[in-house]
């Protein structure tokens, strides 16, 4: 007998639709029932690719005795954190405040009016290491709610007040000062490099996350500060490129099929948490594109190509939207689809197996839980030389061997696909395709970016420029959150930059106006949820970068760029106020504010305004291939009075290229080579 989740579209909720637990989705039915019966609410939050969510389901939520306790004492609500990140943000903050840690599955207990009073993450079915069992937790909370109600209500009130107070941040009336800001940028870079792993790349200790925003900041810092006598700028570049190299060579990268896993559980990037998320791959393609623009390192280009090939093969909807994720588990085991035994590889590859195994660190003992995760410990050229082979010859052997292993892997039972399509994550991937086109010149990437954007505007926009958050089965639902709007605006700006089509720019301006009207707070920042959404206990403001960039940080950059393009000075001033209001936090905690630091860097170094007039297509392609992290590029065949950067720019030449700053332009030149000499 299915429960109330049976009519949902989320793969995660549908996984729980046949549990004996009487699960409800978040909504009026469950919330009103809790008030009517005066029962506490148990909210359990997870997502389809979450390994420990599956474990707790098998151990507890599928157990009839445990379900009976839950059904007797609680109104049980299941939430897909990817469908309702607003609720996840609120209740994750509460659990972290209560326990000092967080994660998924997130299990939090609420009063009938939705206020949190107790919670945690995974709870086992039997006591381990002093950790209470899930049944003990359930019975303890039920008893406390019945016999210590006043204390429970007070605790819930105090926690809600704590969440409200955490929404206040930023300093008022900070004056823009380039001298002070460069000092802060220097200090932020120095603090970030203090956390750097100089051997294996990345930052901090295990578990290691890609931290693409930090890498982007280090590359941008190098580019803008390399003209100063500064060893730190060279260190910044070296650490950024080392981090990318080590991830590409590690087990976090799928050496056979392309694409990156969520994070590594160890220092060396060997053992990933095997789920593949759309947003991670989008963010890594974006930063790899910037690295390729800077270095022209072929390994970066190859990784871009392989990762996007994976995305199109395994995460693309027929209408050119992108699915959310691939599960970490298959056949009930984490990583089973991706790992290999020594014997399997030898049987498949025959005479080529010995060198292949040495190159990819494959052994009889295994490098992870008696199995092998493919990783590279020596660059291809060095390995070929040490084995008396030409690198081209060895590469052909590798490609042939990888093809054989891929063929065998395709016969395995695949990890489950989370096939819902999320607006903000698709926007990140759309931007990645635009950046990949800019870096590589591959027309396919531009074409797919356009097709994906057309799908997004058709599927997620209600035709009044109000957006939805998630789409599946030809239906969009839930009002879009700040991150959805912010990332879509950024993708539209990037798409304009690679096409010269101002339609995308105008749409970005429209959505930016909507964000200002519906998400603004009283201090110049933005709430996560729009006005009028009344099923959350507070409207949170998110400023820290997480797995995806802070929506506030992205909006600050959007306001800065669109303010310049359309000459809207109040947007530029607002962007500066947002960034400078957090500038002390950016310096102290650079690893959590990489997206903000990139905008502060652009504010300090200035935006290069590049305008191409006339027959611009080839010149635009050449310009885009250059590493210009703080440039706004516009291209037009004729003068256009609507856009300030195009106004008054005419040419009798086939091509005229203008370099400007604050609308003050140098004399035009007729080639990209001349432009680069001016930069």
């Amino acid at each position: 007998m299915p429960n109330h989740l049976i009519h949902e579209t989320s793969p995660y909720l549908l996984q729980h639709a046949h549990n004996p637990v009487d699960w409800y989705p978040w909504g009026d039915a469950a919330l009103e029932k809790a008030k009517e019966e005066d029962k506490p609410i148990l909210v359990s939050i997870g997502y389809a690719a979450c390994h420990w969510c599956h474990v707790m389901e098998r151990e507890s939520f599928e157990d009839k005795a445990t379900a009976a306790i839950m059904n007797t004492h609680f109104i049980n609500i299941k939430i897909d954190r990817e469908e309702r990140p607003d609720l996840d943000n609120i209740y994750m903050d509460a659990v972290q405040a209560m326990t000092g840690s967080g994660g998924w599955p997130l299990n939090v207990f609420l009063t009938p009016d939705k206020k949190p009073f107790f919670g945690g993450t995974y709870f086992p079915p039997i006591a381990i290491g002093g950790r209470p069992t899930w049944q003990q937790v359930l019975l303890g909370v039920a008893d406390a709610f019945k016999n210590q109600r006043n204390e429970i209500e007070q605790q819930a009130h105090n926690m809600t007040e704590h969440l409200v107070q955490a929404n206040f941040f930023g300093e008022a009336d900070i004056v823009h000062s380039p001298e002070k800001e460069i000092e802060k940028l220097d200090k932020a870079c120095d603090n970030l490099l203090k956390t750097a792993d100089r051997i294996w790349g990345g930052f901090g200790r295990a578990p290691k996350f890609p931290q693409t925003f930090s890498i982007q900041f280090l590359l941008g810092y190098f580019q803008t500060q390399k003209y100063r006598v500064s060893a730190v700028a060279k260190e910044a570049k070296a650490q950024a490129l080392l981090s990318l190299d080590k991830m590409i060579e590690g087990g976090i990268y799928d050496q056979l099929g392309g694409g990156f896993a969520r994070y590594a559980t160890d220092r060396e990037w060997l053992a990933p948490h095997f789920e593949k998320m759309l947003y991670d791959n989008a963010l890594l393609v974006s930063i790899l594109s910037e690295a390729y623009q800077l270095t022209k390192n072929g390994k970066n280009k190859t990784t871009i190509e392989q990762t996007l090939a994976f995305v199109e093969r395994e995460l693309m909807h027929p209408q050119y939207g992108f699915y959310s994720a691939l599960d970490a588990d298959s056949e009930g085991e984490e990583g089973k689809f991706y790992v290999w035994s020594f014997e399997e590889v030898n049987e498949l590859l025959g005479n080529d197996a010995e060198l292949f195994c040495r190159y990819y660190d494959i052994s009889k003992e295994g490098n992870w839980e008696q199995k092998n995760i493919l990783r590279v410990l020596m660059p291809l050229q060095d390995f070929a030389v040490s084995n008396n082979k030409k690198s081209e010859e060895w590469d052909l052997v590798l490609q042939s061997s990888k093809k054989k292993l891929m063929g065998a892997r395709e016969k395995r039972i695949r990890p489950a696909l989370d096939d819902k399509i999320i607006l903000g994550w698709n926007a990140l991937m759309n931007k990645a395709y635009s950046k990949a086109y800019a870096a590589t010149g591959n027309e396919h990437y531009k074409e797919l970016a356009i097709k994906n954007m057309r799908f997004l505007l058709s599927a997620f926009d209600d035709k009044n420029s109000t957006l939805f958050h998630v789409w599946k089965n030809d239906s969009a639902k839930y009002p879009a959150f700040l991150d959805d709007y912010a990332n879509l605006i950024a993708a539209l700006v990037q798409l304009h930059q690679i096409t010269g089509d101002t339609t995308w720019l105008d749409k970005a301006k429209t959505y930016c106006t909507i964000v200002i009207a519906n998400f603004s707070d009283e201090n110049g920042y933005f709430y996560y949820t729009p006005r009028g959404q009344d099923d959350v206990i507070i409207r949170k403001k998110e400023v820290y970068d997480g797995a995806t960039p802070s929506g506030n940080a992205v909006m600050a950059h959007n306001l800065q760029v669109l303010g310049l393009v359309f000459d809207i000075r109040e947007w530029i001033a607002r962007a500066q106020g947002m960034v400078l209001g957090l500038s002390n936090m950016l310096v102290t905690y650079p690893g959590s504010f990489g997206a903000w630091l990139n905008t502060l860097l652009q504010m300090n170094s200035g935006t290069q305004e590049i305008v191409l007039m006339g027959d611009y297509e080839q010149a635009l392609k050449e310009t885009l291939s250059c590493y210009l992290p703080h440039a706004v590029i516009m291209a037009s065949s004729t003068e256009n009075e609507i856009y300030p950067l195009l106004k008054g720019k005419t040419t009798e030449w086939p091509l005229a290229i203008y370099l400007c700053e604050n609308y003050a332009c140098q004399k035009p030149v007729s080639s990209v080579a001349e432009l680069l000499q001016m930069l």
Side-chain angles (χ1 to χ4, degrees), residues 21-34:
V21 178
D22 189 22
W23 292 117
Y24 284 81
W26 181 273
D28 290 342
L31 299 174
E32 290 301 322
K33 186 176 177 67

Side-chain angles (χ1 to χ4, degrees), residues 293 431 434-435 437-438 446 489-505 557 561 564-565 602 607-610 612 616-617 619-621 623-636 645:
Q293 287 171 320
K431 185 177 179 181
S434 290
K435 281 183 165 284
Y437 167 73
K446 179 170 72 173
I489 293 165
L492 285 162
V493 170
Q494 193 72 35
L495 190 55
H496 159 262
Q497 191 137 303
I498 67 166
T499 61
D501 184 348
T502 54
T503 303
W504 308 122
L505 208 54
H557 189 260
V561 171
L564 186 156
V565 168
Q602 184 166 343
T607 301
Q608 297 154 333
E609 302 154 18
I610 299 172
L612 294 84
Y616 64 79
E617 292 210 3
L620 176 59
K621 201 166 187 176
T623 305
L624 290 169
S625 71
C626 303
Y627 181 56
L628 303 170
H630 303 141
V632 169
I633 302 171
M634 294 197 74
S636 179
L645 289 176

